[in-house]
Short mmCIF file of all heavy atoms in Angstrom, two decimals:
data_model
loop_
_atom_site.label_atom_id
_atom_site.label_comp_id
_atom_site.label_asym_id
_atom_site.label_seq_id
_atom_site.Cartn_x
_atom_site.Cartn_y
_atom_site.Cartn_z
N MET H 3 0.77 -1.13 0.03
CA MET H 3 -0.01 0.04 -0.01
C MET H 3 0.80 1.23 0.01
O MET H 3 0.54 2.23 -0.67
CB MET H 3 -0.89 -0.07 1.19
CG MET H 3 -1.78 1.09 1.43
SD MET H 3 -3.11 1.04 0.18
CE MET H 3 -4.11 2.33 0.82
N ARG H 4 1.99 1.19 0.83
CA ARG H 4 2.84 2.44 0.89
C ARG H 4 3.53 2.59 -0.48
O ARG H 4 3.73 3.84 -0.87
CB ARG H 4 3.88 2.16 1.95
CG ARG H 4 4.70 3.30 2.32
CD ARG H 4 5.55 3.13 3.42
NE ARG H 4 6.37 4.22 3.62
CZ ARG H 4 7.30 4.36 4.62
NH1 ARG H 4 7.51 3.37 5.48
NH2 ARG H 4 8.02 5.50 4.70
N LYS H 5 3.89 1.58 -1.25
CA LYS H 5 4.42 1.86 -2.54
C LYS H 5 3.52 2.54 -3.54
O LYS H 5 3.95 3.36 -4.23
CB LYS H 5 4.89 0.49 -3.17
CG LYS H 5 6.05 -0.27 -2.53
CD LYS H 5 6.33 -1.47 -3.17
CE LYS H 5 7.37 -2.21 -2.49
NZ LYS H 5 7.66 -3.53 -3.16
N TYR H 6 2.31 2.13 -3.40
CA TYR H 6 1.38 2.72 -4.41
C TYR H 6 1.11 4.24 -3.93
O TYR H 6 1.00 5.13 -4.89
CB TYR H 6 0.00 1.97 -4.19
CG TYR H 6 0.06 0.63 -4.86
CD1 TYR H 6 -0.09 -0.52 -4.03
CD2 TYR H 6 0.31 0.43 -6.23
CE1 TYR H 6 -0.03 -1.80 -4.56
CE2 TYR H 6 0.45 -0.81 -6.76
CZ TYR H 6 0.29 -2.00 -5.97
OH TYR H 6 0.40 -3.24 -6.37
N LEU H 7 0.99 4.48 -2.72
CA LEU H 7 0.86 5.89 -2.28
C LEU H 7 2.00 6.71 -2.71
O LEU H 7 1.85 7.91 -3.18
CB LEU H 7 0.71 6.00 -0.68
CG LEU H 7 0.47 7.31 -0.11
CD1 LEU H 7 -0.84 7.92 -0.62
CD2 LEU H 7 0.45 7.33 1.35
N LEU H 8 3.24 6.19 -2.57
CA LEU H 8 4.47 6.97 -3.01
C LEU H 8 4.43 7.13 -4.52
O LEU H 8 4.88 8.25 -5.06
CB LEU H 8 5.73 6.24 -2.62
CG LEU H 8 5.99 6.31 -1.03
CD1 LEU H 8 7.27 5.43 -0.70
CD2 LEU H 8 6.14 7.75 -0.62
N ALA H 9 3.93 6.12 -5.26
CA ALA H 9 3.92 6.15 -6.71
C ALA H 9 2.96 7.33 -7.12
O ALA H 9 3.13 8.06 -8.06
CB ALA H 9 3.60 4.85 -7.34
N ILE H 10 1.83 7.35 -6.48
CA ILE H 10 0.76 8.32 -6.80
C ILE H 10 1.29 9.73 -6.46
O ILE H 10 1.10 10.65 -7.30
CB ILE H 10 -0.57 8.03 -6.12
CG1 ILE H 10 -1.14 6.73 -6.60
CG2 ILE H 10 -1.52 9.24 -6.10
CD1 ILE H 10 -2.45 6.29 -5.85
N ILE H 11 1.97 9.91 -5.28
CA ILE H 11 2.53 11.27 -4.97
C ILE H 11 3.55 11.60 -5.95
O ILE H 11 3.51 12.82 -6.45
CB ILE H 11 3.06 11.14 -3.56
CG1 ILE H 11 1.92 11.05 -2.56
CG2 ILE H 11 3.91 12.44 -3.29
CD1 ILE H 11 2.34 10.85 -1.07
N GLY H 12 4.41 10.71 -6.41
CA GLY H 12 5.39 10.95 -7.36
C GLY H 12 4.75 11.44 -8.75
O GLY H 12 5.18 12.40 -9.39
N LEU H 13 3.77 10.65 -9.17
CA LEU H 13 3.03 11.05 -10.37
C LEU H 13 2.41 12.47 -10.33
O LEU H 13 2.40 13.22 -11.32
CB LEU H 13 1.93 10.06 -10.81
CG LEU H 13 2.41 8.78 -11.27
CD1 LEU H 13 1.28 7.76 -11.46
CD2 LEU H 13 3.23 8.98 -12.68
N VAL H 14 1.78 12.81 -9.12
CA VAL H 14 1.17 14.17 -8.97
C VAL H 14 2.32 15.21 -9.05
O VAL H 14 2.05 16.27 -9.68
CB VAL H 14 0.36 14.16 -7.63
CG1 VAL H 14 -0.03 15.64 -7.27
CG2 VAL H 14 -0.84 13.31 -7.76
N LEU H 15 3.34 14.94 -8.46
CA LEU H 15 4.48 15.96 -8.44
C LEU H 15 5.05 16.10 -9.86
O LEU H 15 5.31 17.28 -10.32
CB LEU H 15 5.55 15.53 -7.53
CG LEU H 15 5.30 15.64 -5.94
CD1 LEU H 15 6.48 15.01 -5.15
CD2 LEU H 15 5.05 17.12 -5.61
N LEU H 16 5.10 15.11 -10.68
CA LEU H 16 5.58 15.14 -12.04
C LEU H 16 4.58 15.93 -12.85
O LEU H 16 4.95 16.81 -13.67
CB LEU H 16 5.82 13.78 -12.67
CG LEU H 16 7.09 13.07 -12.21
CD1 LEU H 16 7.01 11.64 -12.80
CD2 LEU H 16 8.25 13.78 -12.79
N CYS H 17 3.35 15.81 -12.64
CA CYS H 17 2.29 16.59 -13.39
C CYS H 17 2.38 17.97 -13.06
O CYS H 17 2.29 18.88 -13.83
CB CYS H 17 0.93 15.97 -13.13
SG CYS H 17 0.58 14.38 -13.80
N LEU H 18 2.58 18.32 -11.77
CA LEU H 18 2.70 19.66 -11.33
C LEU H 18 3.86 20.34 -11.92
O LEU H 18 3.92 21.54 -12.38
CB LEU H 18 2.77 19.78 -9.82
CG LEU H 18 1.40 19.50 -9.06
CD1 LEU H 18 1.63 19.48 -7.62
CD2 LEU H 18 0.34 20.58 -9.42
N LEU H 19 5.00 19.66 -11.92
CA LEU H 19 6.22 20.21 -12.53
C LEU H 19 5.99 20.43 -13.98
O LEU H 19 6.57 21.46 -14.59
CB LEU H 19 7.45 19.25 -12.25
CG LEU H 19 7.92 19.30 -10.87
CD1 LEU H 19 9.01 18.16 -10.67
CD2 LEU H 19 8.52 20.67 -10.46
N ALA H 20 5.40 19.54 -14.71
CA ALA H 20 5.18 19.67 -16.14
C ALA H 20 4.32 20.89 -16.48
O ALA H 20 4.42 21.66 -17.32
CB ALA H 20 4.55 18.48 -16.75
N ALA H 21 3.28 21.06 -15.52
CA ALA H 21 2.32 22.26 -15.72
C ALA H 21 3.05 23.50 -15.42
O ALA H 21 2.88 24.46 -16.18
CB ALA H 21 1.14 22.08 -14.85
N VAL H 22 3.93 23.63 -14.46
CA VAL H 22 4.67 24.85 -14.18
C VAL H 22 5.61 25.11 -15.30
O VAL H 22 5.78 26.24 -15.66
CB VAL H 22 5.36 24.74 -12.85
CG1 VAL H 22 6.41 25.85 -12.55
CG2 VAL H 22 4.38 24.70 -11.71
N GLY H 23 6.30 24.15 -15.82
CA GLY H 23 7.27 24.24 -16.87
C GLY H 23 6.59 24.76 -18.24
O GLY H 23 7.26 25.49 -18.94
N SER H 24 5.32 24.41 -18.45
CA SER H 24 4.74 24.86 -19.75
C SER H 24 3.94 26.15 -19.61
O SER H 24 3.52 26.75 -20.51
CB SER H 24 3.79 23.79 -20.18
OG SER H 24 2.72 23.59 -19.27
N ALA H 25 3.89 26.69 -18.40
CA ALA H 25 3.15 27.93 -18.14
C ALA H 25 4.11 29.15 -18.16
O ALA H 25 4.28 29.84 -17.26
CB ALA H 25 2.42 27.91 -16.88
N GLY H 26 4.74 29.27 -19.30
CA GLY H 26 5.68 30.40 -19.48
C GLY H 26 5.07 31.81 -19.85
O GLY H 26 5.78 32.59 -20.17
N GLY H 27 3.71 31.80 -19.89
CA GLY H 27 3.07 33.04 -20.30
C GLY H 27 2.79 33.02 -21.77
O GLY H 27 3.02 32.06 -22.50
N SER H 28 2.06 34.04 -22.16
CA SER H 28 1.60 34.10 -23.48
C SER H 28 2.82 34.58 -24.43
O SER H 28 3.71 35.31 -23.93
CB SER H 28 0.55 35.09 -23.63
OG SER H 28 0.84 36.29 -23.28
N PRO H 29 2.76 34.10 -25.70
CA PRO H 29 3.84 34.45 -26.56
C PRO H 29 3.77 35.96 -26.88
O PRO H 29 2.64 36.54 -27.03
CB PRO H 29 3.58 33.68 -27.78
CG PRO H 29 2.35 32.94 -27.59
CD PRO H 29 1.81 33.09 -26.20
N ASP H 30 4.90 36.58 -27.20
CA ASP H 30 4.94 37.96 -27.49
C ASP H 30 4.70 38.13 -29.09
O ASP H 30 5.14 37.18 -29.78
CB ASP H 30 6.31 38.63 -27.20
CG ASP H 30 6.43 38.71 -25.70
OD1 ASP H 30 5.47 39.00 -25.02
OD2 ASP H 30 7.56 38.61 -25.23
N THR H 31 4.08 39.16 -29.46
CA THR H 31 3.95 39.56 -30.88
C THR H 31 4.62 40.94 -31.13
O THR H 31 4.38 41.85 -30.48
CB THR H 31 2.48 39.63 -31.25
OG1 THR H 31 1.89 38.34 -30.97
CG2 THR H 31 2.34 40.03 -32.69
N TYR H 32 5.51 40.93 -32.06
CA TYR H 32 6.21 42.11 -32.43
C TYR H 32 5.65 42.43 -33.78
O TYR H 32 5.63 41.71 -34.82
CB TYR H 32 7.72 41.83 -32.57
CG TYR H 32 8.39 41.41 -31.33
CD1 TYR H 32 8.41 40.09 -30.91
CD2 TYR H 32 8.76 42.39 -30.45
CE1 TYR H 32 8.96 39.72 -29.65
CE2 TYR H 32 9.28 42.04 -29.20
CZ TYR H 32 9.42 40.74 -28.91
OH TYR H 32 9.90 40.43 -27.61
N ILE H 33 5.19 43.76 -33.93
CA ILE H 33 4.62 44.18 -35.18
C ILE H 33 5.53 45.24 -35.82
O ILE H 33 5.70 46.29 -35.32
CB ILE H 33 3.25 44.82 -34.93
CG1 ILE H 33 2.29 43.79 -34.36
CG2 ILE H 33 2.55 45.45 -36.33
CD1 ILE H 33 0.99 44.35 -33.89
N VAL H 34 6.16 44.80 -36.97
CA VAL H 34 7.09 45.64 -37.61
C VAL H 34 6.34 46.72 -38.41
O VAL H 34 5.37 46.33 -39.15
CB VAL H 34 7.94 44.82 -38.61
CG1 VAL H 34 8.90 45.73 -39.47
CG2 VAL H 34 8.75 43.76 -37.88
N ASN H 35 6.58 48.02 -38.11
CA ASN H 35 5.84 49.11 -38.74
C ASN H 35 6.65 50.05 -39.54
O ASN H 35 6.15 51.16 -39.81
CB ASN H 35 4.95 49.76 -37.76
CG ASN H 35 5.72 50.44 -36.63
OD1 ASN H 35 7.02 50.46 -36.63
ND2 ASN H 35 5.05 50.84 -35.62
N THR H 36 7.89 49.65 -39.79
CA THR H 36 8.73 50.61 -40.65
C THR H 36 9.76 49.82 -41.47
O THR H 36 10.13 48.71 -41.02
CB THR H 36 9.43 51.61 -39.63
OG1 THR H 36 10.30 52.43 -40.49
CG2 THR H 36 10.33 51.01 -38.72
N THR H 37 10.20 50.36 -42.59
CA THR H 37 11.25 49.74 -43.30
C THR H 37 12.68 50.19 -42.92
O THR H 37 13.65 49.74 -43.48
CB THR H 37 11.02 49.94 -44.81
OG1 THR H 37 11.07 51.42 -45.04
CG2 THR H 37 9.76 49.35 -45.31
N ASP H 38 12.72 51.00 -41.89
CA ASP H 38 13.99 51.51 -41.38
C ASP H 38 14.80 50.32 -40.90
O ASP H 38 14.22 49.30 -40.51
CB ASP H 38 13.72 52.52 -40.31
CG ASP H 38 14.99 53.25 -39.99
OD1 ASP H 38 15.99 53.30 -40.73
OD2 ASP H 38 14.99 53.74 -38.75
N ASP H 39 16.08 50.45 -40.78
CA ASP H 39 16.98 49.35 -40.28
C ASP H 39 17.79 49.87 -39.11
O ASP H 39 18.92 49.57 -39.02
CB ASP H 39 17.84 48.93 -41.40
CG ASP H 39 18.61 47.64 -40.98
OD1 ASP H 39 18.17 47.00 -40.15
OD2 ASP H 39 19.74 47.40 -41.61
N SER H 40 17.09 50.59 -38.14
CA SER H 40 17.74 50.99 -36.98
C SER H 40 17.44 50.11 -35.78
O SER H 40 16.58 49.15 -35.85
CB SER H 40 17.35 52.45 -36.69
OG SER H 40 15.93 52.39 -36.40
N ASN H 41 18.15 50.36 -34.63
CA ASN H 41 17.89 49.65 -33.47
C ASN H 41 18.07 50.54 -32.32
O ASN H 41 19.26 50.82 -31.92
CB ASN H 41 18.78 48.44 -33.32
CG ASN H 41 18.59 47.61 -32.00
OD1 ASN H 41 17.56 47.83 -31.38
ND2 ASN H 41 19.58 46.88 -31.67
N ASP H 42 17.03 51.08 -31.80
CA ASP H 42 17.09 52.02 -30.64
C ASP H 42 16.83 51.25 -29.33
O ASP H 42 16.70 51.90 -28.27
CB ASP H 42 16.14 53.14 -30.80
CG ASP H 42 14.68 52.72 -30.85
OD1 ASP H 42 14.29 51.56 -30.53
OD2 ASP H 42 13.82 53.61 -31.12
N GLY H 43 16.81 49.91 -29.35
CA GLY H 43 16.77 49.18 -28.11
C GLY H 43 15.27 48.77 -27.74
O GLY H 43 15.06 48.05 -26.73
N SER H 44 14.29 49.27 -28.44
CA SER H 44 12.88 48.94 -28.19
C SER H 44 12.12 48.74 -29.45
O SER H 44 12.37 49.28 -30.49
CB SER H 44 12.29 49.95 -27.22
OG SER H 44 12.11 51.18 -27.96
N CYS H 45 11.06 47.90 -29.33
CA CYS H 45 10.15 47.67 -30.44
C CYS H 45 8.86 48.10 -30.10
O CYS H 45 8.04 47.49 -29.56
CB CYS H 45 10.14 46.15 -30.69
SG CYS H 45 9.41 45.78 -32.26
N ASP H 46 8.60 49.45 -30.40
CA ASP H 46 7.31 50.17 -30.00
C ASP H 46 6.46 50.26 -31.30
O ASP H 46 6.70 51.00 -32.14
CB ASP H 46 7.59 51.53 -29.53
CG ASP H 46 8.53 51.52 -28.36
OD1 ASP H 46 8.40 50.68 -27.47
OD2 ASP H 46 9.41 52.37 -28.23
N ALA H 47 5.47 49.48 -31.31
CA ALA H 47 4.56 49.46 -32.42
C ALA H 47 3.45 50.53 -32.36
O ALA H 47 2.96 50.79 -33.39
CB ALA H 47 3.79 48.03 -32.65
N LEU H 48 3.35 51.07 -31.18
CA LEU H 48 2.37 52.21 -31.11
C LEU H 48 3.02 53.52 -31.44
O LEU H 48 4.12 53.78 -31.08
CB LEU H 48 1.79 52.25 -29.71
CG LEU H 48 1.03 50.99 -29.33
CD1 LEU H 48 0.51 50.98 -27.90
CD2 LEU H 48 -0.16 50.62 -30.24
N PRO H 49 2.21 54.42 -32.19
CA PRO H 49 2.78 55.75 -32.45
C PRO H 49 3.12 56.55 -31.16
O PRO H 49 2.36 56.35 -30.16
CB PRO H 49 1.71 56.40 -33.19
CG PRO H 49 0.84 55.37 -33.66
CD PRO H 49 0.93 54.20 -32.76
N PRO H 50 4.04 57.29 -31.20
CA PRO H 50 5.02 57.63 -32.25
C PRO H 50 6.19 56.71 -32.34
O PRO H 50 7.18 57.06 -33.07
CB PRO H 50 5.50 59.08 -31.80
CG PRO H 50 5.56 59.04 -30.37
CD PRO H 50 4.47 58.09 -29.90
N GLY H 51 6.17 55.61 -31.70
CA GLY H 51 7.36 54.64 -31.78
C GLY H 51 7.35 53.92 -32.98
O GLY H 51 6.59 54.08 -33.90
N ASP H 52 8.48 53.15 -33.15
CA ASP H 52 8.62 52.34 -34.30
C ASP H 52 9.17 50.99 -33.98
O ASP H 52 9.73 50.77 -32.87
CB ASP H 52 9.52 53.01 -35.43
CG ASP H 52 10.97 53.19 -34.86
OD1 ASP H 52 11.14 52.93 -33.60
OD2 ASP H 52 11.84 53.40 -35.67
N CYS H 53 8.92 50.01 -34.86
CA CYS H 53 9.44 48.71 -34.59
C CYS H 53 10.00 48.15 -35.92
O CYS H 53 9.21 47.91 -36.83
CB CYS H 53 8.38 47.75 -34.17
SG CYS H 53 8.91 46.06 -33.84
N THR H 54 11.34 48.12 -36.02
CA THR H 54 12.01 47.75 -37.24
C THR H 54 12.06 46.14 -37.23
O THR H 54 11.95 45.47 -36.12
CB THR H 54 13.46 48.29 -37.36
OG1 THR H 54 14.25 47.76 -36.30
CG2 THR H 54 13.41 49.83 -37.25
N LEU H 55 12.44 45.61 -38.33
CA LEU H 55 12.58 44.15 -38.37
C LEU H 55 13.73 43.76 -37.49
O LEU H 55 13.67 42.73 -36.74
CB LEU H 55 12.82 43.72 -39.84
CG LEU H 55 13.07 42.16 -40.10
CD1 LEU H 55 11.91 41.35 -39.49
CD2 LEU H 55 13.23 41.87 -41.50
N ARG H 56 14.80 44.49 -37.45
CA ARG H 56 15.96 44.23 -36.68
C ARG H 56 15.56 44.23 -35.19
O ARG H 56 15.94 43.24 -34.42
CB ARG H 56 17.12 45.23 -36.89
CG ARG H 56 18.31 44.99 -36.09
CD ARG H 56 19.34 46.03 -36.34
NE ARG H 56 19.68 46.14 -37.86
CZ ARG H 56 20.60 45.34 -38.42
NH1 ARG H 56 21.17 44.34 -37.77
NH2 ARG H 56 20.77 45.50 -39.68
N GLU H 57 14.78 45.25 -34.76
CA GLU H 57 14.39 45.21 -33.30
C GLU H 57 13.39 44.07 -32.97
O GLU H 57 13.52 43.51 -31.91
CB GLU H 57 13.67 46.54 -33.11
CG GLU H 57 14.62 47.76 -33.15
CD GLU H 57 13.89 49.07 -33.15
OE1 GLU H 57 12.71 49.09 -33.51
OE2 GLU H 57 14.53 50.08 -32.83
N ALA H 58 12.61 43.73 -33.94
CA ALA H 58 11.65 42.56 -33.69
C ALA H 58 12.45 41.32 -33.54
O ALA H 58 12.10 40.50 -32.64
CB ALA H 58 10.70 42.50 -34.82
N ILE H 59 13.42 41.11 -34.37
CA ILE H 59 14.20 39.77 -34.23
C ILE H 59 14.96 39.73 -33.04
O ILE H 59 15.00 38.73 -32.29
CB ILE H 59 15.14 39.70 -35.58
CG1 ILE H 59 14.36 39.46 -36.80
CG2 ILE H 59 16.12 38.62 -35.31
CD1 ILE H 59 15.11 39.57 -38.08
N ILE H 60 15.57 40.82 -32.68
CA ILE H 60 16.31 40.90 -31.40
C ILE H 60 15.35 40.73 -30.23
O ILE H 60 15.67 39.88 -29.33
CB ILE H 60 17.11 42.20 -31.27
CG1 ILE H 60 18.25 42.35 -32.22
CG2 ILE H 60 17.60 42.47 -29.72
CD1 ILE H 60 18.86 43.70 -32.31
N GLY H 61 14.20 41.36 -30.19
CA GLY H 61 13.26 41.20 -29.11
C GLY H 61 12.76 39.70 -29.04
O GLY H 61 12.62 39.11 -27.98
N ALA H 62 12.40 39.09 -30.16
CA ALA H 62 11.96 37.71 -30.23
C ALA H 62 13.03 36.73 -29.78
O ALA H 62 12.75 35.82 -29.02
CB ALA H 62 11.44 37.39 -31.59
N ASN H 63 14.20 37.02 -30.09
CA ASN H 63 15.37 36.09 -29.68
C ASN H 63 15.65 36.26 -28.24
O ASN H 63 16.07 35.27 -27.67
CB ASN H 63 16.64 36.33 -30.53
CG ASN H 63 16.46 35.76 -31.88
OD1 ASN H 63 15.72 34.92 -32.21
ND2 ASN H 63 17.29 36.40 -32.81
N SER H 64 15.38 37.44 -27.60
CA SER H 64 15.80 37.61 -26.24
C SER H 64 14.65 37.22 -25.23
O SER H 64 14.87 37.33 -24.06
CB SER H 64 16.28 39.04 -26.06
OG SER H 64 15.27 39.97 -26.27
N ASP H 65 13.52 37.14 -25.68
CA ASP H 65 12.28 36.97 -24.76
C ASP H 65 12.27 35.56 -24.26
O ASP H 65 11.49 35.30 -23.24
CB ASP H 65 10.95 37.50 -25.27
CG ASP H 65 10.40 36.60 -26.36
OD1 ASP H 65 10.77 35.50 -26.60
OD2 ASP H 65 9.44 37.03 -26.93
N GLY H 66 12.85 34.63 -24.78
CA GLY H 66 12.96 33.25 -24.25
C GLY H 66 11.67 32.41 -24.43
O GLY H 66 11.63 31.39 -23.81
N GLY H 67 10.81 32.77 -25.23
CA GLY H 67 9.70 31.97 -25.57
C GLY H 67 9.25 32.11 -26.98
O GLY H 67 10.04 32.53 -27.75
N ASP H 68 8.13 31.51 -27.24
CA ASP H 68 7.65 31.55 -28.64
C ASP H 68 7.15 32.99 -29.01
O ASP H 68 6.46 33.58 -28.13
CB ASP H 68 6.44 30.55 -28.82
CG ASP H 68 6.94 29.16 -28.77
OD1 ASP H 68 8.05 28.89 -28.91
OD2 ASP H 68 5.99 28.36 -28.45
N SER H 69 7.46 33.48 -30.08
CA SER H 69 7.14 34.90 -30.52
C SER H 69 6.73 34.83 -31.93
O SER H 69 6.98 33.94 -32.66
CB SER H 69 8.35 35.83 -30.42
OG SER H 69 8.88 35.83 -29.01
N THR H 70 5.94 35.86 -32.26
CA THR H 70 5.37 36.05 -33.59
C THR H 70 5.85 37.50 -34.08
O THR H 70 5.92 38.38 -33.35
CB THR H 70 3.85 36.07 -33.62
OG1 THR H 70 3.38 34.81 -33.08
CG2 THR H 70 3.34 36.30 -35.01
N ILE H 71 6.38 37.54 -35.33
CA ILE H 71 6.76 38.72 -35.90
C ILE H 71 5.71 38.93 -37.11
O ILE H 71 5.66 38.12 -37.98
CB ILE H 71 8.10 38.70 -36.41
CG1 ILE H 71 9.12 38.53 -35.31
CG2 ILE H 71 8.46 40.02 -37.18
CD1 ILE H 71 10.58 38.45 -35.67
N ALA H 72 5.00 40.04 -36.95
CA ALA H 72 4.05 40.45 -37.98
C ALA H 72 4.40 41.78 -38.55
O ALA H 72 5.25 42.51 -38.16
CB ALA H 72 2.57 40.58 -37.34
N PHE H 73 3.74 42.05 -39.80
CA PHE H 73 4.08 43.23 -40.49
C PHE H 73 2.89 44.13 -40.74
O PHE H 73 1.85 43.58 -41.07
CB PHE H 73 4.77 42.94 -41.80
CG PHE H 73 6.10 42.23 -41.71
CD1 PHE H 73 6.15 40.79 -41.55
CD2 PHE H 73 7.29 42.95 -41.72
CE1 PHE H 73 7.39 40.25 -41.39
CE2 PHE H 73 8.45 42.30 -41.55
CZ PHE H 73 8.63 40.96 -41.34
N ASN H 74 2.99 45.35 -40.46
CA ASN H 74 2.05 46.37 -40.69
C ASN H 74 2.66 47.69 -41.02
O ASN H 74 2.70 48.64 -40.35
CB ASN H 74 1.11 46.59 -39.41
CG ASN H 74 -0.09 47.46 -39.69
OD1 ASN H 74 -0.43 47.73 -40.86
ND2 ASN H 74 -0.71 48.02 -38.75
N ILE H 75 3.27 47.83 -42.32
CA ILE H 75 4.05 48.87 -42.73
C ILE H 75 3.05 49.77 -43.51
O ILE H 75 2.51 49.29 -44.56
CB ILE H 75 5.22 48.39 -43.62
CG1 ILE H 75 6.16 47.51 -42.76
CG2 ILE H 75 5.95 49.62 -44.21
CD1 ILE H 75 7.18 46.80 -43.55
N PRO H 76 2.89 51.03 -43.11
CA PRO H 76 1.92 51.86 -43.73
C PRO H 76 2.46 52.37 -45.09
O PRO H 76 3.62 52.32 -45.40
CB PRO H 76 1.83 53.11 -42.77
CG PRO H 76 3.14 53.09 -42.05
CD PRO H 76 3.58 51.55 -41.92
N ASP H 77 1.54 52.71 -45.91
CA ASP H 77 1.80 53.19 -47.24
C ASP H 77 2.59 54.40 -47.25
O ASP H 77 3.33 54.70 -48.29
CB ASP H 77 0.53 53.51 -48.05
CG ASP H 77 -0.30 52.27 -48.30
OD1 ASP H 77 0.21 51.10 -48.30
OD2 ASP H 77 -1.57 52.44 -48.63
N THR H 78 2.61 55.20 -46.23
CA THR H 78 3.31 56.51 -46.07
C THR H 78 4.84 56.20 -45.73
O THR H 78 5.62 57.24 -45.80
CB THR H 78 2.67 57.36 -45.05
OG1 THR H 78 2.69 56.66 -43.79
CG2 THR H 78 1.30 57.75 -45.49
N ASP H 79 5.24 55.04 -45.41
CA ASP H 79 6.67 54.78 -45.12
C ASP H 79 7.41 54.92 -46.31
O ASP H 79 7.05 54.56 -47.47
CB ASP H 79 6.76 53.24 -44.56
CG ASP H 79 8.08 52.97 -44.05
OD1 ASP H 79 9.03 52.61 -44.92
OD2 ASP H 79 8.42 53.13 -42.89
N ALA H 80 8.59 55.62 -46.13
CA ALA H 80 9.52 55.91 -47.21
C ALA H 80 9.95 54.77 -48.09
O ALA H 80 10.13 54.75 -49.25
CB ALA H 80 10.69 56.62 -46.76
N GLY H 81 10.11 53.56 -47.37
CA GLY H 81 10.55 52.31 -48.08
C GLY H 81 9.42 51.43 -48.55
O GLY H 81 9.70 50.35 -48.95
N HIS H 82 8.21 51.88 -48.35
CA HIS H 82 7.06 51.00 -48.63
C HIS H 82 6.97 50.82 -50.22
O HIS H 82 6.94 51.90 -50.93
CB HIS H 82 5.77 51.56 -48.15
CG HIS H 82 4.54 50.68 -48.40
ND1 HIS H 82 3.82 50.75 -49.52
CD2 HIS H 82 4.06 49.66 -47.63
CE1 HIS H 82 2.89 49.93 -49.47
NE2 HIS H 82 2.94 49.23 -48.43
N GLU H 83 7.02 49.56 -50.66
CA GLU H 83 6.94 49.36 -52.05
C GLU H 83 6.21 48.02 -52.34
O GLU H 83 6.56 47.05 -51.68
CB GLU H 83 8.31 49.30 -52.71
CG GLU H 83 8.40 49.06 -54.21
CD GLU H 83 9.77 49.04 -54.80
OE1 GLU H 83 10.58 49.85 -54.31
OE2 GLU H 83 10.02 48.17 -55.47
N VAL H 84 5.27 48.09 -53.17
CA VAL H 84 4.51 46.84 -53.54
C VAL H 84 4.76 46.59 -55.06
O VAL H 84 4.41 47.52 -55.81
CB VAL H 84 3.08 46.95 -53.27
CG1 VAL H 84 2.35 45.68 -53.64
CG2 VAL H 84 2.78 47.28 -51.74
N SER H 85 5.34 45.62 -55.34
CA SER H 85 5.58 45.25 -56.72
C SER H 85 5.47 43.83 -57.03
O SER H 85 5.79 43.00 -56.16
CB SER H 85 7.06 45.71 -57.14
OG SER H 85 8.03 45.03 -56.44
N GLY H 86 5.02 43.48 -58.20
CA GLY H 86 4.83 42.02 -58.56
C GLY H 86 3.69 41.39 -57.87
O GLY H 86 3.54 40.19 -57.94
N ILE H 87 2.71 42.09 -57.32
CA ILE H 87 1.62 41.52 -56.68
C ILE H 87 0.34 41.76 -57.53
O ILE H 87 0.09 42.76 -58.01
CB ILE H 87 1.34 42.07 -55.31
CG1 ILE H 87 2.55 41.75 -54.43
CG2 ILE H 87 0.08 41.54 -54.70
CD1 ILE H 87 2.42 42.33 -53.03
#
């Protein structure tokens, strides 16, 4: 009986550890909104900030989890160009 109790306790502890390990929070989303290639150390998608592809990649690599990089480059951006579509 004691062996079974210890086995059940061990399984419960393993399940708790697995749940804590997978609860790393929600993934970050970086929205690239400029064609500029600068890095001011932050990826601010809300005006008046900017988020370059370089900043988004650095942020995604450093946050330690799954991340998404999306694009929302306005038509008014100096480097915005649509061709071949």
